[in-house]
Amino acid sequence: MKKNLFGFGLAAILSAGLLVGCGGADDSTDEGADNGQASEESVTLTMGTSADYPPFEYIDTASGDEIIGFDIDIADHIAAELGFEYTIEDMEFNGLVEAVRTNRVDFVIAGMTPDDDRRENVDFSDIYYEGQQMIVTLNDSGFESIEDLDGKKVGVQLGSIQEAEAESIEGAIVEQRDTIPQLIQELRNGQIDAVVLEDTVANRYFERQDVLTGFMMPVSEEAGYAIAFPKESELTEQFNEVIAEMKEDGTLDELILKWFGADEE
Ligand code: ARG
């Protein structure tokens, strides 16, 4: 079932600048029979992300400079269901909450975990995926448990929930960096000793870089992933309806298989 964003009053919350004009001569579809005046208009939303998080959102340099990934497929599906177009604003993870809070973007999808601090500034959709915390190290480091990281430099992405995870490691010296590739690079160079990373992202790195290994953090909480919206955005509920449908009709499972399937073998 296609829902029409205009039917939900979205137009009211969009600035005129976001509205794309009538399709003019393009009469190729007659879907809008029930709602003639809106049928040929399309809304363009701005989505914020931090494309440094394979396989959720990243630039596959081998195939171009397009941002792809699990989260992008979810955004595409929701956009198709709700009938909007969107453009992507790629920025550092640490700036995303502020970009949503100040309405610079209409929503953020970036493997983001709702927590109390963030909830003070933005609203979140329902959870669409769960991650867990891992410690990523070099194969030959000999680190096998959290106790081995006493006095070691543990890297995390600036502004991520991994900051608190790393701080919980007894004796660890927490090092913050802007992006995940930067952390992996410094780990490989020996500038830091370990990185706290969510399991699906870590597994992706293990598959591609044999020098890396890791272990689960013993007492980490499940990190749910959700989409962030400006407070009181009408999009939250509409996105939630589609997320619920995606869970029920198998779309989400298909995407999990498509993007993370290899990990389970
Ligand atoms: N789930 C973690 C958080 O919310 C990490 C997300 C990092 N995402 C990214 N695109 N770099 O803090």
Side-chain angles (χ1 to χ4, degrees):
M1 184 190 64
K2 282 236 158 150
K3 294 165 207 74
N4 190 314
L5 279 172
F6 286 95
F8 288 85
L10 177 76
I13 61 163
L14 292 171
S15 68
L18 287 175
L19 294 173
V20 172
C22 267
D26 182 12
D27 275 332
S28 53
T29 65
D30 59 358
E31 261 180 300
D34 55 333
N35 190 355
Q37 97 281 11
S39 63
E40 301 211 351
E41 282 175 86
S42 80
V43 174
T44 302
L45 301 179
T46 307
M47 175 184 110
T49 196
S50 169
D52 67 339
Y53 213 52
F56 292 92
E57 45 268 330
Y58 64 106
I59 297 166
D60 187 14
T61 40
S63 69
D65 53 10
E66 213 191 331
I67 298 172
I68 59 169
F70 178 73
D71 282 348
I72 310 303
D73 280 2
I74 289 180
D76 282 347
H77 187 86
I78 294 173
E81 287 295 307
L82 296 178
F84 65 85
E85 317 261 312
Y86 70 93
T87 55
I88 300 182
E89 271 215 41
D90 186 19
M91 58 187 96
E92 272 163 16
F93 186 77
N94 191 41
L96 286 171
V97 169
E98 186 62 5
V100 182
R101 193 188 67 79
T102 56
N103 287 292
R104 247 177 58 217
V105 298
D106 298 296
F107 66 100
V108 155
I109 185 160
M112 190 180 278
T113 306
D115 68 8
D116 291 344
D117 282 351
R118 291 173 182 163
R119 279 188 199 283
E120 274 179 26
N121 294 303
V122 300
D123 285 346
F124 283 100
S125 72
D126 295 332
I127 301 291
Y128 61 85
Y129 188 74
E130 301 264 1
Q132 286 179 29
Q133 310 306 321
M134 281 193 88
I135 300 294
V136 176
T137 64
L138 291 181
N139 261 329
D140 57 11
S141 69
F143 301 139
E144 278 167 5
S145 75
I146 221 78
E147 287 75 36
D148 297 335
L149 300 176
D150 193 344
K152 301 286 184 254
K153 288 184 182 162
V154 177
V156 292
Q157 181 163 42
L158 182 69
S160 71
I161 60 163
Q162 281 70 40
E163 289 185 339
E165 295 284 346
E167 266 146 28
S168 77
I169 303 172
E170 182 96 26
I173 303 153
V174 181
E175 297 275 331
Q176 294 140 319
R177 298 294 181 269
D178 289 328
T179 70
I180 304 294
Q182 218 173 324
L183 288 164
I184 300 293
Q185 185 66 38
E186 292 197 22
L187 178 65
R188 296 191 59 146
N189 291 343
Q191 287 160 284
I192 52 180
D193 302 296
V195 176
V196 185
L197 215 53
E198 276 157 5
D199 52 355
T200 312
V201 179
N203 285 327
R204 168 84 179 202
Y205 276 104
F206 298 153
E207 277 170 27
R208 292 189 170 48
Q209 305 193 21
D210 321 332
V211 295
L212 302 178
T213 187
F215 54 88
M216 300 301 291
M217 276 193 78
V219 284
S220 86
E221 278 175 42
E222 291 255 298
Y225 292 4
I227 304 173
F229 303 91
K231 285 232 169 257
E232 316 297 332
S233 168
E234 297 182 23
L235 293 176
T236 313
E237 211 185 304
Q238 297 170 37
F239 275 48
N240 275 340
E241 280 180 32
V242 181
I243 292 171
E245 276 170 20
M246 291 177 80
K247 286 179 182 169
E248 258 162 50
D249 69 12
T251 310
L252 204 56
D253 285 336
E254 269 168 43
L255 291 180
I256 288 173
L257 201 66
K258 169 179 171 189
W259 289 100
F260 321 134
D263 294 346
E264 265 127 53
E265 262 145 70

